[in-house]
Amino acid sequence: MSVAKPLPHDSAPLQVTGQARYIDDMPLPANALHLAFGLSEVAHGELTGVDLSAVRAAPGVVAVLTAADLPFANDVSPSAHDEPLLAMGTVHYVGQPIFVVAAESHLAARKAARLAQVEIAEKPAILTIDQALAADSRFEDGPRIYEKGDAPSAIAAAPVVVEGRLELGGQEHFYLEGQAALALPQEGGDMVVHSSTQHPTEIQHKVAEALGVPMHAVRVEVRRMGGGFGGKESQGNALAVACAVIARQTGRPVKMRYDRDDDMVITGKRHDFRIDYRVGVDAVGRIQGIEFTQYTRCGWAQDLSLPVADRAMLHADNAYHLAHARIVSHRLKTNTQSATAYRGFGGPQGMVGVERVMDHVAQQLGLDPLAVRKANFYAPAEAGGLSAPHAPAARPPEDISQQKKTAEVQTTPYHMAVEDFILHELIARLEESSDFAERRAAVDAWNAANPILKKGIALTPVKFGISFTLTHLNQAGALVHVYQDGSIHMNHGGTEMGQGLFRKVAQVAAEVFGVAPEVVKITATDTGKVPNTSATAASSGSDLNGMAVKAACETIRARMAEFIAREYQAEAGAVRFAGGQVHVGGESLEFAEVVQRAYLARVSLSSTGFYRTPKVEWDRIAGRGRPFYYFAYGAAATEVVIDSLTGENRILRADILHDAGASLNPALDIGQIEGGYVQGAGWLTTEELVWDDRGRLRTHAPSTYKIPACSDRPEVFNVALWDGANREETIYRSKAVGEPPFMLGISAWSALADAVAACGPGYPDLQAPATAEEVLAAIGRARS
Amino acid sequence: MTQTQSIQLTVNGEPVNASVPVRMNLVDFLRQELGLTGSHVGCEHGVCGACTIEVDGAPIRGCLMLAVQANGATVTTVEGLADTDRADALKAAFRDRNALQCGFCTPGMLTSALSYVESGGPADRTAIREHISGNYCRCTGYQAIVDAICDVIGKEAKS
Ligand code: FES
Ligand code: FES
């Protein structure tokens, strides 16, 4: 067995010796050029004069281009063709590229870019949600609305109504390797591009448009990224296109990498949100009706904002059955960076909204927040098939009144049946393994005895929908060759950004052929090998590419089986591939020997593979259908301590139980869970983006933007995998694991809210991120 | 405009003579002039630790030191660590513990970890956390990195 083994990351031996190459490490021909953008310092205005003479005259400068100099398409948008590579007439945010400098060195290009004289007639900028609403500055014609039942009436009829507002900050990706691209001109006008991107096909597409050539003239290769997290889904387009255009013009290799400040100023981030909520509940906190209004700042261009905002709506329920729900989403256009994909893709924002509601309801009714959460959970999945009886034992006692209703499967606010809900059992197990009840009591006792340091504890669930909500993206291709010596070359459309996708998919290939994982060569993603790929995003990497590789391998294996069965007068179906051997008609042959014989017998040993996700079907305008193939689940219990005099805080302990289905590789999955939790907790605690009133991002470097360091992570950190298989037929019944654990970090924020609530009788109304400053302000509210 | 100065130093055991722009920082010199691209740049202003290298036995940030300041110094990069067995146990532990994902932070992280292990730091998680808190990792959540360092110290204590 090759799958389910905790094999180390395939690049580990190269990474620990400094041999693993990222774009900026690739050896360059001596005549290579380096690029830098000249950026707008104004949030909104008309370009009235651009004097680049000093830039052109600067040492080492070879070329300077503005929008007028671009030969073909001036567009790097992944969606609406509204994102010029270089500004045309109008500038839309501080940091927008206006011109590009090509010079003999990175430093020469950057220095020269500073010398431009740019005159801009400033116009009023729309920076905030309120400004955008006042100006009706938005994408799409109006808000999107998803609705189920009759929320206003249900709220009106409820005994208690809770309402509030949450302001939820964005997040910088802070992939350790900044954006980078390298273009190498080829004969006949062809172009090879190396890019640090999650979406090679998009790079190929945008480069082809910019060069005025068919996509077949552009080949994009990606071996690895130094982190992506969604930030390299569309944000690499600008660099790759700029490199390719100048490589075409000069005939020289061209490289571009953003310095960290430029990276943070130019590129999009996680969308920040404002979420207003109104909820009617009964005496035990069960939601009768709920209304959410989500406002998000999308920035100046559309980018991926529509599907991000959709996904926020699709996760407004998280783990809770909302019989009467109305979710309204405003996608606002502002003069700021174009907000983009970031791990969870809007899901985390939607989920924080309802977790906040749970805490608020509990506080208002004086109930235990975990009890309120459980009272609202979806009904448990049925043990067997859809017709099998329910297992009432698995249901907690407070759910008794719902038992009758669960005869029909409960649906989400977008009318999808929830058939695989495992959080009742999963949370029961986590409560036990984390001693949650005892620690809850200990925290309360501590808070009663200690006036200064206050503790908080919270357990929050995650239910995350898996599949691209743009249904056609749920497809993948693969290309597999078996060479005559028995070694295997494997290629697929997924990209490696550290998540271990290549290793997992190689395990799949090794499994199908029954060979050791070392027999399978992992190769760079290449648009010349597998075409029309979707971004490695939406956690879909191993689900989609694993299946495509499996299909390709099975095709070759079937040919080999048929051939060798004939040789031994056996049944093809009875040939087995295992342990590096092929078992046929009572004989055991070396895999390589069978390959060699098949080759001599003129059997094709190469195949493509293809996969499309079944069952998904979705109408994003109506808000109806099945956008997700399945849900991934998890839960985290976090304990924190705050200093009520300063607002400073620490995560003391986190316990996680997460559902990766039948894990393809438990070591890699646990790595995703640990990293996801810490990144999610960072988003909601220390990572604060600040723009000033002129639209300038003031937190544009790690000196002012604080991601979690080792000393910020939980002192005690227990992570375990839930040991259940996916009920859908995914690759070896595993589940996607890239994004879902990110939202486990919500428990850290909820625990901070719990600690703040212990400081006084008032409602603390904790916002996010809960920086020390915000915690202190919330303590003030609790005490007033 | 660009002033240069000649320097002599030892890099990964080899003598190096070079004429460098006075404003070039050490990590750029190693990467661009010597082709030692194992040391990475993540922020170029001393916060992320990706550029951590060893100069005269101590971990320093290659983006905060000028190449000219390394005149006469002994510099060891991740490639140099690979030439000796000094970091073998740590490298194996990083691999086995899955203490790297994208790997971009790894060379700097290994260098910081090695200084902790070689200075006789205890297998105390709090002390390890503090020691490597100047090296950012955006992928792993650090748990596996601390585990790997603990493993190495534990094994050395036994042997
Ligand atoms: S690159 Fe030197 S500390 Fe970040
Ligand atoms: S492994 Fe990616 S930054 Fe550490």
Side-chain angles (χ1 to χ4, degrees), chain A residues 73-121:
Chain A
N74 177 14
D75 180 64
V76 291
S77 162
S79 54
H81 293 278
D82 61 346
E83 198 172 329
L85 170 69
L86 300 173
M88 295 181 296
T90 310
V91 291
H92 298 276
Y93 76 102
V94 176
Q96 182 174 358
I98 296 173
F99 62 92
V100 59
V101 189
E104 303 288 351
S105 76
H106 175 72
L107 205 57
R110 294 196 67 222
K111 277 186 179 169
R114 300 279 167 96
L115 302 175
Q117 300 289 325
V118 177
E119 282 171 30
I120 299 174

Side-chain angles (χ1 to χ4, degrees), chain A residues 200-223:
Chain A
T201 291
E202 183 94 293
I203 298 281
Q204 179 194 21
H205 178 204
K206 300 316 287 188
V207 166
E209 283 181 357
L211 297 181
V213 298
M215 284 172 77
H216 71 40
V218 180
R219 192 170 71 74
V220 178
E221 199 179 306
V222 185
R223 176 57 186 88

Side-chain angles (χ1 to χ4, degrees), chain A residues 8-9 12-13 15-18 22 24-25 111 171-174 176-177 225-227 229 257 259-261 342 497-498 650 667-668 671-672 674-675 678-679 687 701-703 706-711 713-715 717, chain B residues 1 23 28 31-32 37-45 47-48 50 78-79 82 91 94-96 98 100-107 110 125 128-130 132-133 135-144 146-147:
Chain A
H9 201 286
Q15 284 161 332
V16 295
T17 51
Y22 304 83
D24 198 33
D25 302 339
K111 277 186 179 169
Q171 187 176 26
E172 161 63 32
H173 303 83
F174 213 92
L176 254 269
E177 177 212 26
M225 283 164 268
F229 314 117
R257 75 170 173 88
D259 143 271
R260 182 62 62 181
D261 295 75
Y342 192 139
M497 58 194 108
R650 282 211 166 276
L668 295 178
Q672 286 297 296
E674 290 168 350
V678 169
Q679 208 174 73
E687 298 188 35
S703 48
K706 175 80 180 68
I707 72 167
C710 190
S711 46
R713 53 169 290 283
E715 278 161 35
F717 200 6
Chain B
M1 194 185 108
R23 292 192 51 193
D28 283 348
R31 289 177 53 83
Q32 293 165 18
T37 53
S39 311
H40 297 140
V41 290
C43 71
E44 297 172 81
H45 66 257
V47 182
C48 75
V78 68
E79 292 92 342
K91 287 188 313 200
F94 266 55
R95 189 193 58 229
D96 296 344
N98 199 28
L100 50 87
Q101 288 180 24
C102 81
F104 202 79
C105 69
T106 307
L110 270 178
R125 298 183 77 89
I128 294 172
R129 282 157 53 103
E130 288 305 322
I132 62 166
S133 65
N135 287 76
Y136 278 170
C137 173
R138 191 54 151 167
C139 300
T140 62
Y142 304 102
Q143 172 84 345
V146 177
D147 287 344

